[in-house]
Amino acid sequence: MQILANRMDRGFYKYQSEFEEKALEVLRSGWYVLGTEVENFEKEFAKYTGARYCVGLASGLDALWIAFRVLGIGKGDEVIVQANTYIASVMGITINGATPVFVEPDETFGIDINKIEAKITTKTKAILVVHLYGIPTKMDKIGELCKKYNLRLVEDCAQSHGAFYKGRMTGTFGDIGCFSFYPSKNLGAFGDAGAIITDNKELADKFKVFRNYGSEKRYYNKVVGANSRLDELQAGLLRIRLQHLNEITQEKIEIAERYNREIKNTKLVLPKTNDNSVCVWHQYVIRCKEREELIHYLDNNGINTIIHYPIPPHLSEAYKYLGYKKGDYPITEDFADSVLSIPIYNGMTEDEQTYVIDKLNKF
Ligand SMILES: *Cc1c(COP(=O)(O)O)cnc(C)c1O
């Protein structure tokens, strides 16, 4: 059997006629940028998350860096973030000239809430929480720290669409929730797309101006902005996907629960989640000390896997200038050397799941 790491085609064919109908509708409308599809998507996504406002943007990275820009966080400021995240989280901070201050993760791959306070300095302006792999972070203490030290709270929800912590959706705990709708994300577009959610009207308005060259009224530019508009076609297609997001999420949860129950091999560490949370399993990430052998063995059996992520940001060439070296974040580095994402995708058949479980158990 051949099992790819992801099968985005299956997510398309499941709702093919709805997607095709909407695509044609937008193409035939003659209106392609900032129109009713974007407006409706923003309303619908805000409602879905429980936030007051949503602003569509061109990507998840844009959502992050524009978030810090509109919050006025830049040169000379520090932002606390977990060390084991996707590099885009960190770029969202550094594009503005601010400095990322890394904190080690806990067993759930999220920021270790007990190691944050020691990293807070007079320069700290914000905490960026990443609900990595769709596993919601424990938010209570982070909220308290933000109050105590007067910090902004931004959430990177690029992997956690629809995930809950204590009955509240990720992205609604702080000032701004940042989303990516890159095709492989749980709520995926058919190209690049992103958005932010917020309860703060002033911030939402700033995003709307910033994404369109800093202009509210055409050719009257208030600030030096960017072109980061969500286009009508992607917004229309996202509206279709959003209508099915609960069943899309439920399907992934059921596969993950089966993996949790049926993968039994002392060489493998299965992912852990926090109590009182609903994890949406963007990835199902196991850990294995003999990862190279495992990858090779699975590959020989037709199972493709991906490492999320092999090089932590502090050791990446891009961040050489921050001056970190191997050994600075041992837990993060150990994760980078041992994590492996096994196939979990919408439309994965029971036979495919059984095959993956069986091969993992026989490793
Ligand atoms: C995908 C992703 C991003 C960036 O989103 P893009 O739409 O690709 O720019 C940021 N953070 C995390 C955690 C991601 O997984």
Side-chain angles (χ1 to χ4, degrees), residues 110-200:
I111 193 166
D112 187 332
I113 54 172
N114 298 314
K115 293 182 180 163
I116 296 175
E117 196 161 13
K119 297 282 184 126
I120 296 175
T121 72
T122 51
K123 291 180 179 170
T124 310
K125 291 285 165 1
I127 299 176
L128 174 60
V129 168
V130 188
H131 305 285
L132 200 68
Y133 310 142
I135 302 171
T137 300
K138 268 194 262 184
M139 296 305 292
D140 329 59
K141 191 165 176 186
I142 294 173
E144 286 164 22
L145 286 173
C146 287
K147 266 209 192 93
K148 183 171 169 193
Y149 293 96
N150 193 25
L151 307 178
R152 298 292 202 158
L153 176 55
V154 179
E155 293 172 81
D156 181 341
C157 305
Q159 305 189 359
S160 71
H161 317 75
F164 287 94
Y165 179 70
K166 292 196 171 166
R168 215 160 131 185
M169 211 175 267
T170 57
T172 64
F173 287 87
D175 298 282
I176 299 168
C178 302
F179 290 83
S180 165
F181 307 122
Y182 183 76
S184 65
K185 311 287 187 186
N186 282 28
L187 176 60
F190 293 81
D192 279 305
I196 62 93
I197 57 171
T198 181
D199 280 343
N200 183 324

XYZ file of all heavy atoms in Angstrom, residues 110-200:
694
model
N 3.700 22.590 23.366
C 3.384 24.016 23.516
C 4.361 24.662 24.479
O 5.134 23.973 25.175
N 4.343 25.981 24.565
C 5.269 26.712 25.444
C 5.109 26.224 26.885
O 3.985 25.982 27.350
C 5.022 28.238 25.338
C 6.167 29.036 25.978
C 3.673 28.645 25.948
C 6.150 30.519 25.608
N 6.236 26.024 27.595
C 6.176 25.590 28.989
C 5.796 26.800 29.841
O 6.604 27.702 30.055
C 7.542 25.027 29.408
C 7.480 24.394 30.798
O 6.637 24.832 31.619
O 8.269 23.471 31.060
N 4.568 26.784 30.348
C 4.050 27.972 31.037
C 4.836 28.298 32.306
O 4.799 29.420 32.786
C 2.537 27.830 31.364
C 2.268 26.552 32.146
C 1.705 27.871 30.094
C 0.851 26.454 32.669
N 5.560 27.322 32.832
C 6.332 27.575 34.056
C 7.701 28.204 33.781
O 8.423 28.549 34.704
C 6.504 26.283 34.837
C 5.157 25.738 35.273
O 4.317 26.480 35.780
N 4.924 24.465 35.021
N 8.045 28.326 32.511
C 9.364 28.891 32.180
C 9.255 30.278 31.565
O 10.255 30.864 31.149
C 10.099 27.948 31.226
C 10.469 26.643 31.888
C 11.249 25.724 30.967
C 11.600 24.425 31.687
N 11.997 23.367 30.733
N 8.035 30.813 31.500
C 7.849 32.109 30.834
C 8.319 33.274 31.706
O 9.075 34.143 31.260
C 6.365 32.317 30.441
C 5.939 31.261 29.408
C 6.154 33.726 29.866
C 4.460 31.303 29.057
N 7.867 33.289 32.959
C 8.070 34.470 33.804
C 9.552 34.843 33.932
O 9.897 36.032 33.917
C 7.434 34.268 35.186
C 7.280 35.583 35.940
C 6.267 35.502 37.081
O 5.855 34.384 37.448
O 5.897 36.577 37.605
N 10.418 33.838 33.991
C 11.862 34.098 34.122
C 12.426 34.842 32.913
O 13.499 35.442 32.987
C 12.597 32.773 34.315
N 11.698 34.790 31.810
C 12.202 35.421 30.577
C 11.661 36.834 30.371
O 12.013 37.503 29.403
C 11.806 34.568 29.365
C 12.412 33.179 29.367
C 13.871 33.218 28.937
C 14.443 31.815 28.849
N 15.056 31.515 27.580
N 10.774 37.259 31.249
C 10.187 38.590 31.082
C 11.165 39.660 31.567
O 11.709 39.564 32.664
C 8.833 38.689 31.837
C 7.823 37.714 31.209
C 8.285 40.124 31.787
C 6.498 37.630 31.940
N 11.410 40.659 30.712
C 12.297 41.774 31.077
C 11.516 43.082 30.877
O 10.346 43.058 30.490
C 13.542 41.827 30.164
O 13.131 42.279 28.857
C 14.215 40.479 30.043
N 12.191 44.190 31.099
C 11.526 45.491 30.895
C 11.247 45.727 29.413
O 10.437 46.579 29.062
C 12.417 46.646 31.411
O 13.717 46.497 30.832
C 12.514 46.628 32.921
N 11.936 44.964 28.546
C 11.737 45.147 27.102
C 10.604 44.272 26.548
O 10.193 44.436 25.410
C 13.025 44.789 26.352
C 14.163 45.762 26.584
C 15.380 45.295 25.802
C 16.541 46.260 25.998
N 17.769 45.684 25.442
N 10.150 43.312 27.355
C 9.124 42.390 26.864
C 7.828 43.136 26.596
O 7.321 43.853 27.462
C 8.863 41.267 27.900
O 10.109 40.718 28.292
C 7.982 40.187 27.308
N 7.300 42.950 25.381
C 6.063 43.646 25.012
C 4.907 42.677 24.749
O 3.743 43.080 24.791
C 6.290 44.493 23.751
C 7.201 45.693 23.975
C 6.453 46.763 24.723
C 7.256 47.882 25.334
N 8.652 47.982 25.210
N 5.234 41.431 24.446
C 4.155 40.499 24.084
C 4.581 39.053 24.267
O 5.771 38.737 24.313
C 3.746 40.727 22.630
N 3.552 38.186 24.360
C 3.777 36.741 24.295
C 3.054 36.248 23.047
O 1.902 36.613 22.808
C 3.223 36.015 25.549
C 3.918 36.528 26.810
C 3.387 34.503 25.407
C 3.377 35.933 28.113
N 3.772 35.469 22.247
C 3.159 34.834 21.078
C 2.975 33.360 21.410
O 3.954 32.627 21.581
C 4.045 35.001 19.830
C 3.596 34.255 18.574
C 2.208 34.695 18.115
C 4.598 34.434 17.429
N 1.727 32.941 21.519
C 1.413 31.541 21.821
C 1.148 30.809 20.505
O 0.411 31.304 19.661
C 0.154 31.460 22.716
C -0.357 30.024 22.806
C 0.462 31.997 24.101
N 1.774 29.657 20.332
C 1.550 28.865 19.119
C 0.870 27.553 19.513
O 1.437 26.776 20.280
C 2.884 28.539 18.400
C 2.617 27.884 17.046
C 3.745 29.784 18.238
N -0.332 27.336 19.012
C -1.024 26.074 19.331
C -0.558 25.033 18.312
O -1.279 24.660 17.393
C -2.538 26.273 19.291
C -3.019 27.380 20.188
N -3.090 27.239 21.553
C -3.420 28.644 19.918
C -3.529 28.370 22.095
N -3.736 29.237 21.119
N 0.690 24.605 18.514
C 1.373 23.787 17.508
C 0.701 22.424 17.311
O 0.290 21.785 18.276
C 2.838 23.605 17.933
C 3.809 23.215 16.837
C 4.010 24.344 15.828
C 5.146 22.799 17.427
N 0.641 22.015 16.072
C 0.056 20.728 15.642
C -1.446 20.642 15.920
O -2.042 19.574 15.806
C 0.743 19.529 16.330
C 2.259 19.530 16.271
C 3.033 19.095 17.344
C 2.925 19.953 15.113
C 4.417 19.090 17.290
C 4.319 19.956 15.052
C 5.050 19.527 16.152
O 6.418 19.521 16.098
N -2.057 21.757 16.340
C -3.487 21.723 16.671
C -3.760 21.404 18.122
O -4.912 21.218 18.524
N -2.686 21.344 18.929
C -2.830 21.058 20.367
C -2.943 22.387 21.122
O -1.980 23.151 21.157
C -1.605 20.270 20.890
C -1.424 18.965 20.107
C -1.730 20.019 22.389
C -0.124 18.227 20.406
N -4.098 22.685 21.721
C -4.239 23.964 22.416
C -3.314 24.066 23.631
O -3.159 23.115 24.391
C -5.705 23.984 22.862
C -6.383 22.959 22.028
C -5.353 21.908 21.738
N -2.728 25.239 23.782
C -1.869 25.550 24.923
C -2.745 25.874 26.129
O -3.843 26.403 25.976
C -0.995 26.769 24.576
O -0.198 26.442 23.437
C -0.089 27.166 25.728
N -2.228 25.573 27.330
C -2.922 25.940 28.577
C -2.853 27.453 28.716
O -1.769 28.003 28.903
C -2.221 25.307 29.779
C -2.781 23.961 30.166
C -2.273 23.569 31.537
C -1.099 22.642 31.397
N -0.549 22.101 32.603
N -3.994 28.138 28.637
C -3.962 29.598 28.515
C -4.085 30.361 29.827
O -3.739 31.545 29.874
C -5.061 30.063 27.554
C -4.878 29.585 26.121
S -3.288 30.009 25.406
C -3.409 31.788 25.289
N -4.565 29.705 30.907
C -4.887 30.461 32.139
C -3.714 31.302 32.649
O -3.823 32.511 32.815
C -5.337 29.516 33.262
C -6.053 28.287 32.736
O -5.452 27.535 31.939
O -7.207 28.074 33.097
N -2.584 30.638 32.875
C -1.447 31.318 33.479
C -0.854 32.376 32.533
O -0.371 33.417 32.982
C -0.377 30.285 33.850
C 0.706 30.877 34.701
C 1.556 29.828 35.376
C 2.695 30.498 36.131
N 3.627 29.516 36.674
N -0.921 32.089 31.238
C -0.384 33.044 30.261
C -1.187 34.347 30.307
O -0.629 35.439 30.300
C -0.394 32.418 28.846
C 0.590 31.244 28.811
C -0.045 33.464 27.786
C 0.562 30.424 27.536
N -2.499 34.199 30.424
C -3.356 35.377 30.550
C -3.014 36.187 31.799
O -2.950 37.422 31.761
N -2.762 35.475 32.906
C -2.409 36.158 34.164
C -1.090 36.912 34.031
O -0.958 38.047 34.506
C -2.280 35.137 35.309
C -3.616 34.598 35.785
C -3.464 33.332 36.634
O -2.361 33.113 37.199
O -4.437 32.559 36.704
N -0.115 36.277 33.382
C 1.193 36.926 33.201
C 1.050 38.188 32.347
O 1.672 39.212 32.624
C 2.182 35.961 32.548
C 2.725 34.841 33.425
C 3.558 33.872 32.595
C 3.560 35.407 34.575
N 0.224 38.103 31.327
C 0.033 39.265 30.448
C -0.579 40.427 31.228
O -0.195 41.585 31.030
C -0.830 38.903 29.250
S 0.059 37.892 28.062
N -1.517 40.117 32.115
C -2.122 41.167 32.955
C -1.086 41.751 33.906
O -0.904 42.953 34.003
C -3.276 40.564 33.782
C -4.611 40.735 33.100
C -5.762 40.827 34.102
C -7.075 40.694 33.341
N -7.531 39.280 33.298
N -0.381 40.850 34.594
C 0.591 41.263 35.607
C 1.676 42.168 35.034
O 2.083 43.140 35.656
C 1.204 40.010 36.242
C 2.173 40.280 37.374
C 2.552 38.965 38.091
C 3.726 39.199 39.032
N 4.288 37.922 39.494
N 2.167 41.839 33.839
C 3.288 42.586 33.262
C 2.855 43.515 32.127
O 3.685 44.060 31.418
C 4.367 41.618 32.773
C 5.042 40.872 33.900
C 4.613 39.597 34.263
C 6.078 41.456 34.622
C 5.213 38.912 35.312
C 6.678 40.783 35.663
C 6.244 39.512 36.007
O 6.843 38.849 37.046
N 1.545 43.649 31.949
C 1.016 44.523 30.901
C 1.568 44.174 29.514
O 2.111 45.027 28.812
C 1.324 45.991 31.262
C 0.537 46.951 30.398
O -0.535 46.600 29.884
N 1.064 48.146 30.200
N 1.424 42.898 29.151
C 1.928 42.424 27.864
C 0.770 42.172 26.910
O -0.334 41.832 27.332
C 2.689 41.109 28.038
C 3.819 41.082 29.072
C 4.419 39.689 29.151
C 4.883 42.119 28.723
N 1.042 42.320 25.628
C 0.075 41.937 24.610
C 0.123 40.423 24.422
O 1.174 39.797 24.612
C 0.412 42.612 23.279
C 0.353 44.122 23.351
C -1.066 44.595 23.543
N -1.208 45.973 23.114
C -2.365 46.523 22.774
N -3.480 45.807 22.842
N -2.423 47.774 22.383
N -1.010 39.864 24.057
C -1.072 38.417 23.810
C -1.534 38.178 22.372
O -2.614 38.618 21.973
C -2.043 37.765 24.802
C -2.317 36.274 24.654
C -1.037 35.451 24.665
C -3.235 35.791 25.777
N -0.670 37.533 21.607
C -0.989 37.191 20.219
C -0.955 35.674 20.102
O -0.100 35.021 20.703
C 0.026 37.828 19.234
C -0.297 37.460 17.792
C 0.058 39.354 19.397
N -1.906 35.102 19.366
C -1.926 33.646 19.177
C -1.683 33.289 17.718
O -2.311 33.858 16.825
C -3.285 33.076 19.604
C -3.566 33.184 21.088
C -4.998 32.771 21.391
O -5.257 31.561 21.469
O -5.849 33.668 21.534
N -0.782 32.348 17.509
C -0.548 31.810 16.173
C -1.415 30.551 16.053
O -1.087 29.493 16.602
C 0.937 31.476 16.002
C 1.259 30.938 14.611
O 0.327 30.498 13.914
O 2.444 30.936 14.236
N -2.530 30.709 15.341
C -3.504 29.614 15.203
C -3.447 28.977 13.815
O -4.436 28.397 13.364
C -4.914 30.135 15.463
S -5.084 30.942 17.046
N -2.301 29.083 13.167
C -2.166 28.541 11.812
C -2.422 27.035 11.764
O -2.712 26.479 10.709
C -0.778 28.853 11.263
N -2.297 26.383 12.946
C -2.514 24.934 12.978
C -3.675 24.545 13.885
O -3.864 23.361 14.164
C -1.217 24.243 13.450
C -0.006 24.621 12.592
C 1.230 23.792 12.886
O 1.227 22.928 13.756
N 2.296 24.047 12.147
N -4.440 25.518 14.354
C -5.426 25.188 15.395
C -6.846 25.692 15.118
O -7.586 25.982 16.050
C -4.943 25.726 16.748
O -5.016 27.136 16.783
N -7.234 25.778 13.848
C -8.591 26.226 13.524
C -9.616 25.348 14.232
O -9.635 24.131 14.054
C -8.868 26.127 12.025
C -7.740 26.616 11.164
N -6.593 25.889 10.982
C -7.596 27.743 10.448
C -5.780 26.568 10.183
N -6.370 27.698 9.844
N -10.445 25.964 15.042
C -11.524 25.204 15.682
C -11.117 24.474 16.949
O -11.929 23.743 17.522
N -9.884 24.659 17.416
C -9.454 23.997 18.650
C -9.913 24.815 19.859
O -9.939 26.038 19.807
C -7.932 23.850 18.669
N -10.273 24.110 20.934
C -10.785 24.782 22.137
C -9.881 24.542 23.335
O -9.324 23.462 23.492
C -12.155 24.224 22.519
C -13.281 24.645 21.624
C -13.662 23.840 20.551
C -13.969 25.822 21.856
C -14.720 24.211 19.731
C -15.030 26.198 21.048
C -15.409 25.390 19.989
N -9.795 25.559 24.206
C -9.253 25.353 25.537
C -10.286 25.873 26.523
O -10.686 27.040 26.450
C -7.902 26.068 25.724
C -7.360 25.863 27.107
C -6.894 24.606 27.508
C -7.369 26.891 28.045
C -6.428 24.389 28.796
C -6.906 26.679 29.340
C -6.449 25.427 29.703
O -6.006 25.214 30.983
N -10.717 25.013 27.427
C -11.767 25.353 28.394
C -12.968 26.025 27.729
O -13.464 27.060 28.192
C -11.196 26.219 29.518
C -10.213 25.433 30.393
C -9.922 26.108 31.711
C -9.132 25.174 32.620
N -8.537 25.853 33.752
N -13.418 25.449 26.634
C -14.642 25.907 25.988
C -14.502 27.172 25.152
O -15.487 27.658 24.597
N -13.284 27.696 25.064
C -13.072 28.908 24.294
C -12.172 28.591 23.111
O -11.204 27.838 23.255
C -12.363 29.917 25.202
C -12.785 31.327 24.939
C -12.451 32.158 26.144
N -11.759 33.347 25.706
C -11.242 34.234 26.521
N -11.300 34.043 27.825
N -10.673 35.303 26.059
N -12.502 29.153 21.944
C -11.736 28.783 20.770
C -10.374 29.475 20.742
O -10.264 30.637 21.121
C -12.512 29.087 19.491
C -12.161 28.108 18.383
S -13.139 28.319 16.903
C -14.470 27.181 17.183
N -9.366 28.745 20.306
C -8.027 29.337 20.207
C -8.085 30.509 19.238
O -8.773 30.459 18.220
C -6.988 28.302 19.725
O -7.412 27.759 18.472
C -6.828 27.172 20.731
N -7.384 31.555 19.603
C -7.407 32.784 18.805
C -8.198 33.886 19.480
O -8.103 35.050 19.102
N -8.996 33.494 20.510
C -9.849 34.491 21.174
C -9.388 34.824 22.592
O -10.085 35.497 23.334
C -11.320 34.010 21.245
O -11.372 32.832 22.056
C -11.870 33.707 19.866
N -8.209 34.336 22.971
C -7.743 34.558 24.346
C -7.047 35.902 24.524
O -7.033 36.454 25.613
C -6.802 33.428 24.785
C -7.518 32.147 25.060
C -7.764 31.241 24.041
C -7.971 31.857 26.335
C -8.442 30.059 24.290
C -8.648 30.674 26.593
C -8.890 29.777 25.565
N -6.441 36.386 23.446
C -5.617 37.577 23.601
C -6.102 38.744 22.766
O -7.292 38.898 22.512
N -5.145 39.572 22.330
C -5.485 40.751 21.533
C -5.810 40.370 20.098
O -6.741 40.908 19.507
C -4.296 41.728 21.544
C -3.997 42.222 22.942
O -4.725 43.109 23.400
O -3.064 41.697 23.583
N -5.006 39.459 19.545
C -5.145 39.115 18.132
C -4.883 37.620 17.940
O -3.919 37.075 18.488
C -4.117 39.906 17.270
C -4.357 41.426 17.407
C -4.191 39.490 15.798
C -3.238 42.287 16.841
N -5.736 36.962 17.162
C -5.512 35.575 16.761
C -5.148 35.551 15.290
O -5.854 36.130 14.466
N -4.031 34.890 14.947
C -3.534 34.890 13.564
C -3.749 33.522 12.923
O -3.401 32.495 13.510
C -2.047 35.204 13.557
S -1.652 36.789 14.319
N -4.306 33.538 11.727
C -4.615 32.284 11.034
C -3.978 32.225 9.655
O -3.887 33.236 8.966
C -6.137 32.128 10.858
C -6.860 31.867 12.144
C -7.207 32.922 12.976
C -7.178 30.579 12.538
C -7.869 32.696 14.175
C -7.838 30.335 13.734
C -8.187 31.391 14.556
N -3.580 31.027 9.271
C -3.157 30.751 7.898
C -4.194 29.811 7.297
O -4.721 28.940 7.988
C -1.795 30.046 7.890
O -1.557 29.471 6.611
N -4.476 30.014 6.014
C -5.363 29.072 5.302
C -4.603 28.434 4.149
O -5.175 28.121 3.109
C -6.627 29.789 4.796
C -7.364 30.537 5.864
C -7.589 31.906 5.742
C -7.822 29.892 7.000
C -8.261 32.617 6.725
C -8.493 30.601 8.002
C -8.710 31.963 7.860
N -3.301 28.286 4.329
C -2.462 27.550 3.377
C -3.169 26.208 3.106
O -3.803 25.651 4.005
C -1.091 27.358 4.037
C -0.062 26.682 3.187
C 0.576 27.370 2.163
C 0.277 25.351 3.408
C 1.532 26.749 1.378
C 1.235 24.720 2.629
C 1.858 25.421 1.608
O 2.795 24.802 0.830
N -3.074 25.702 1.865
C -3.902 24.528 1.504
C -3.864 23.336 2.463
O -4.879 22.653 2.632
C -3.346 24.142 0.130
C -2.841 25.423 -0.439
C -2.317 26.224 0.717
N -2.703 23.084 3.089
C -2.625 21.894 3.954
C -3.158 22.126 5.364
O -3.260 21.189 6.147
C -1.172 21.428 4.047
O -0.402 22.413 4.707
N -3.522 23.365 5.707
C -4.024 23.624 7.065
C -5.432 23.035 7.228
O -6.101 22.736 6.242
C -4.065 25.127 7.349
C -2.777 25.869 7.010
C -1.639 25.599 7.968
C -0.471 26.524 7.622
N 0.732 26.282 8.381
N -5.878 22.938 8.465
C -7.203 22.311 8.685
C -8.315 23.042 7.951
O -9.243 22.417 7.437
C -7.514 22.244 10.176
C -6.772 21.100 10.854
O -5.696 20.692 10.399
N -7.344 20.563 11.912
N -8.243 24.377 7.924
C -9.144 25.154 7.070
C -8.260 25.686 5.947
O -7.566 26.677 6.118
C -9.805 26.300 7.858
C -10.707 27.244 7.074
C -11.877 26.498 6.433
C -11.250 28.356 7.972
N -8.283 24.989 4.827
C -7.335 25.298 3.762
C -7.996 25.935 2.553
O -9.084 25.561 2.147
N -7.295 26.913 1.978
C -7.745 27.525 0.723
C -7.109 26.754 -0.436
O -6.532 25.676 -0.236
C -7.335 28.992 0.703
N -7.188 27.308 -1.641
C -6.581 26.672 -2.811
C -5.452 27.555 -3.327
O -5.318 27.813 -4.511
C -7.652 26.403 -3.868
C -8.641 25.370 -3.407
C -9.691 25.719 -2.567
C -8.491 24.036 -3.765
C -10.590 24.762 -2.098
C -9.369 23.071 -3.299
C -10.428 23.433 -2.468
N -4.669 28.017 -2.383
C -3.574 28.936 -2.641
C -3.264 29.568 -1.292
O -3.679 29.049 -0.263
N -2.555 30.682 -1.301
C -2.230 31.342 -0.035
C -3.388 32.203 0.458
O -4.070 32.851 -0.337
C -0.980 32.217 -0.203
C 0.296 31.404 -0.122
O 0.472 30.705 0.891
O 1.099 31.454 -1.076
N -3.590 32.192 1.765
C -4.624 33.029 2.376
C -4.415 33.044 3.881
O -3.800 32.126 4.436
C -6.024 32.500 2.057
N -4.913 34.084 4.536
C -4.790 34.179 5.988
C -5.806 35.156 6.538
O -6.589 35.749 5.777
N -5.816 35.324 7.861
C -6.753 36.262 8.491
C -6.336 36.483 9.937
O -5.549 35.713 10.495
C -8.179 35.717 8.456
N -6.886 37.533 10.530
C -6.754 37.713 11.973
C -8.159 37.832 12.545
O -9.116 38.201 11.838
C -5.940 38.968 12.381
C -6.613 40.259 11.887
C -4.513 38.875 11.915
C -7.557 40.917 12.865
N -8.273 37.499 13.827
C -9.509 37.774 14.551
C -9.170 38.611 15.776
O -8.059 38.518 16.312
C -10.268 36.489 14.959
C -9.376 35.568 15.801
C -10.805 35.759 13.744
C -10.130 34.386 16.415
N -10.106 39.445 16.179
C -9.905 40.295 17.351
C -11.262 40.783 17.851
O -12.245 40.794 17.093
C -8.993 41.507 17.015
O -8.802 42.294 18.193
C -9.595 42.393 15.938
N -11.299 41.185 19.123
C -12.518 41.800 19.655
C -12.404 43.313 19.644
O -13.342 44.017 20.022
C -12.751 41.333 21.109
C -13.368 39.944 21.151
O -13.900 39.495 20.118
O -13.305 39.309 22.217
N -11.242 43.809 19.245
C -10.933 45.227 19.328
C -11.177 45.905 17.981
O -10.459 45.663 17.008
C -9.457 45.354 19.763
C -9.023 46.779 19.959
O -9.451 47.676 19.241
N -8.152 46.984 20.924
